[in-house]
């Protein structure tokens, strides 16, 4: 497992803990890190796309930025009393991925009040629904232009930094 992936798992855990307990929100998050340590993070809901197109866009971004690792997370609702925040960190050079899960507890007014520690598990990358974003994606020239334009439009909402590793 690449060092960026290990660090990204810790960072996304902290990020979700702060968002959920500090701000009461649980967005779908996507982040990637390239070999230079540049990290890009954004909310998937901002894309406002159907799932298939969303996956194409994310694969395009992963490939355009030569990501060495990426993570995608969301809220999983089993039932009203059982909710989890889950994310997976996928490394370009590893057949295994890190899956992290923490149970979310809400009060009677449906506000988040507690989040367990994230449990980390290694799983086969192929078993993750979105674990194939490194696979080459064939896009029409028009779709490529659309995705490039969307990325440019999103830049104001994308958190970008260098991890300094």
């Amino acid at each position: 497992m690449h060092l960026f992936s290990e660090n990204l798992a810790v960072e996304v855990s902290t990020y979700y803990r702060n968002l959920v307990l500090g701000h009461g929100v649980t967005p779908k998050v996507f982040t990637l890190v390239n070999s230079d340590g540049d990290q890009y993070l954004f909310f998937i809901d901002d894309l406002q796309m159907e799932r298939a197109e969303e996956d194409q866009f994310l694969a395009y971004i992963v490939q355009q930025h030569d990501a060495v690792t990426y993570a995608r997370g969301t809220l999983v609702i089993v039932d009203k009393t059982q909710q989890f925040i889950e994310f997976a960190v996928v490394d370009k050079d590893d057949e295994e991925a890190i899956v992290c899960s923490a149970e979310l507890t809400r009060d009677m007014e449906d506000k988040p009040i507690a989040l367990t520690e994230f449990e980390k598990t290694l799983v086969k990358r192929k078993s993750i629904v979105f674990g194939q974003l490194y696979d080459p994606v064939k896009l029409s020239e028009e779709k490529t232009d659309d995705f490039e334009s969307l990325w440019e439009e999103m830049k104001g909402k994308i958190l970008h930094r260098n991890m300094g590793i």
Side-chain angles (χ1 to χ4, degrees), residues 80-148:
K80 184 148 177 75
T81 61
Q82 200 169 29
Q83 299 181 6
F84 296 89
I85 296 173
E86 293 184 345
F87 66 89
V89 179
V90 180
D91 190 296
K92 185 175 187 174
D93 297 324
D94 201 325
E95 291 304 311
E96 292 189 307
I98 303 169
V99 173
C100 300
S101 180
E103 189 165 3
L104 177 62
T105 305
R106 296 181 182 272
D107 65 13
M108 298 300 282
E109 296 173 355
D110 207 32
K111 293 180 183 171
I113 57 170
L115 186 64
T116 62
E117 291 299 315
F118 279 90
E119 293 182 23
K120 296 176 185 159
T121 307
L122 287 178
V123 301
K124 293 289 182 197
R125 180 166 89 185
K126 293 177 188 175
S127 70
I128 298 171
V129 174
F130 52 85
Q132 313 310 318
L133 298 182
Y134 291 113
D135 294 352
V137 61
K138 294 183 182 190
L139 301 173
S140 67
E141 189 174 321
E142 181 181 343
K143 184 60 84 174
T144 300
D145 290 344
D146 289 348
F147 285 170
E148 285 177 11

Side-chain angles (χ1 to χ4, degrees), residues 1-10 68-69 89-91 98:
M1 188 66 52
H2 199 283
L3 181 59
F4 286 148
S5 297
E6 296 284 342
N7 288 338
L8 196 58
V10 171
V68 294
T69 188
V89 179
V90 180
D91 190 296
I98 303 169

